[in-house]
Amino acid sequence: MIKEITVKTALSPSKLPGLDYALNPYRGCEHACVYCYAPPVIHWDKGKWGELVEAKVNLPRILSKELHVKKKGVVGLGTVTDPYQPAEKKYELTRRCLELLLMHDFPVCIQTKSSLVLRDIDLLKKFSNIEVGVTLTALDDSVRAKMEPGASSVEERLRALSELSKNGIKTWVFLGPVMPYITDVEALIDAIAEVKPRYVLVDKLRLKEGVWERVREFVQGFKPEVLADYERIFLRGEDYYKGVFERVLRRCEEKGVRCEVNRLRD
């Protein structure tokens, strides 16, 4: 379900590394990822995550006004929503915002799980400073379909990365969250290496308020034999990720892929 809303501000200060502003054309996300950190961040209280999305229909008009007075800085497009979720096909809020950002030559960093980003290659190629990050959490699309039911397939995302690179657009991959005993990191890095992103940022599963319940339900239904492992890692603090990140960095080095571990605290 899509609900149209109006907002008073467009660009918000961002605390994320490398970003000065956050710009989110939608509130909520149809991708309905089981591990999503956004609901507690935006204080979502409107039912099951993924079933309702609010489209900020006046956002381009507000953004146009703000761009005349804001100091130029890097705009993160899609920090607590996906700017290319299915609603974007109808509303084109992301595209209209990009047109405005291009007019004012603001640097842009996009993060998405959708191949719909390819629709806007004509705009992206015109930016003097832009990069597109694509999130990947598993190579097996049957796994992806359980964790990220509304998002593009793994094949579509890898194709998007390839097409963007071929068009001279800087790309990167967010490999995360790494789901213990579910994400095959070596296989995923091998596939990522084929599409030649500028770098890979790898991250662990971060269980903000309310996320553990959704993750637990997913693991119980998808791979119940590892539920006890999840409880040890996330409830009792067992160190799982140190070894995984070492494997990731080693595999990336073997494949000639620049890789960084996200050092943000929970």
Side-chain angles (χ1 to χ4, degrees):
M1 177 180 173
I2 310 295
K3 178 181 178 182
E4 297 181 359
I5 64 170
T6 57
V7 293
K8 295 181 179 179
T9 59
L11 295 172
S12 303
S14 174
K15 296 180 181 179
L16 294 173
L19 302 180
D20 298 297
Y21 303 107
L23 179 63
N24 292 286
Y26 303 92
R27 189 169 184 271
C29 185
E30 294 169 273
H31 289 169
C33 303
V34 298
Y35 52 75
C36 187
Y37 60 85
V41 174
I42 64 173
H43 308 292
W44 186 258
D45 60 356
K46 300 185 178 182
K48 186 176 179 181
W49 184 247
E51 292 185 349
L52 171 68
V53 171
E54 295 176 332
K56 302 176 183 179
V57 291
N58 70 326
L59 191 73
R61 181 169 57 83
I62 300 298
L63 177 63
S64 179
K65 294 178 180 179
E66 292 183 357
L67 289 173
H68 283 95
V69 297
K70 293 283 188 181
K71 180 181 178 181
K72 189 174 291 187
V74 180
V75 177
L77 193 46
T79 59
V80 289
T81 191
D82 195 307
Y84 285 102
Q85 62 181 288
E88 172 64 13
K89 293 178 183 178
K90 174 182 178 180
Y91 287 96
E92 297 191 353
L93 295 172
T94 296
R95 182 174 177 87
R96 289 159 60 196
C97 287
L98 283 171
E99 290 171 341
L100 294 166
L101 291 164
L102 178 61
M103 286 174 57
H104 292 266
D105 195 32
F106 268 60
V108 173
C109 179
I110 296 170
Q111 186 172 353
T112 184
K113 295 186 180 100
S114 175
S115 60
L116 182 60
V117 66
L118 294 177
R119 179 200 65 188
D120 293 341
I121 275 186
D122 61 320
L123 283 178
L124 304 181
K125 289 193 296 185
K126 296 176 182 177
F127 277 81
S128 60
N129 188 352
I130 194 167
E131 60 178 24
V132 178
V134 174
T135 300
L136 290 164
T137 52
L139 185 60
D140 186 333
D141 201 58
S142 65
V143 178
R144 187 279 314 164
K146 294 289 186 181
M147 291 196 297
E148 307 157 349
S152 293
S153 70
V154 177
E155 182 181 358
E156 288 171 331
R157 291 186 225 179
L158 290 169
R159 181 176 64 85
L161 284 161
S162 179
E163 288 298 315
L164 290 164
S165 293
K166 287 177 183 177
N167 280 273
I169 297 160
K170 298 174 186 175
T171 63
W172 56 283
V173 170
F174 183 77
L175 198 172
V178 173
M179 301 290 283
Y181 308 105
I182 294 175
T183 302
D184 184 340
V185 291
E186 284 89 357
L188 195 49
I189 290 164
D190 290 350
I192 290 168
E194 294 293 321
V195 297
K196 298 178 173 59
R198 291 181 69 233
Y199 66 93
V200 171
L201 180 62
V202 61
D203 199 7
K204 64 182 181 179
L205 174 61
R206 299 174 182 273
L207 293 179
K208 292 187 178 293
E209 179 186 353
V211 178
W212 167 247
E213 287 77 12
R214 285 186 283 122
V215 168
R216 187 187 188 285
E217 182 181 353
F218 160 71
V219 174
Q220 180 70 63
F222 180 71
K223 202 171 184 180
E225 64 271 22
V226 303
L227 182 57
D229 297 299
Y230 271 68
E231 291 173 344
R232 283 198 301 271
I233 295 166
F234 298 108
L235 300 184
R236 294 194 285 278
E238 180 181 288
D239 187 1
Y240 170 82
Y241 283 103
K242 184 176 184 292
V244 172
F245 289 160
E246 288 173 353
R247 285 164 44 207
V248 168
L249 292 170
R250 186 164 55 247
R251 191 62 158 235
C252 283
E253 185 176 3
E254 291 170 358
K255 291 292 181 177
V257 177
R258 178 183 155 207
C259 184
E260 302 172 12
V261 174
N262 191 356
R263 303 295 183 184
L264 285 176
R265 293 182 180 181
D266 287 312

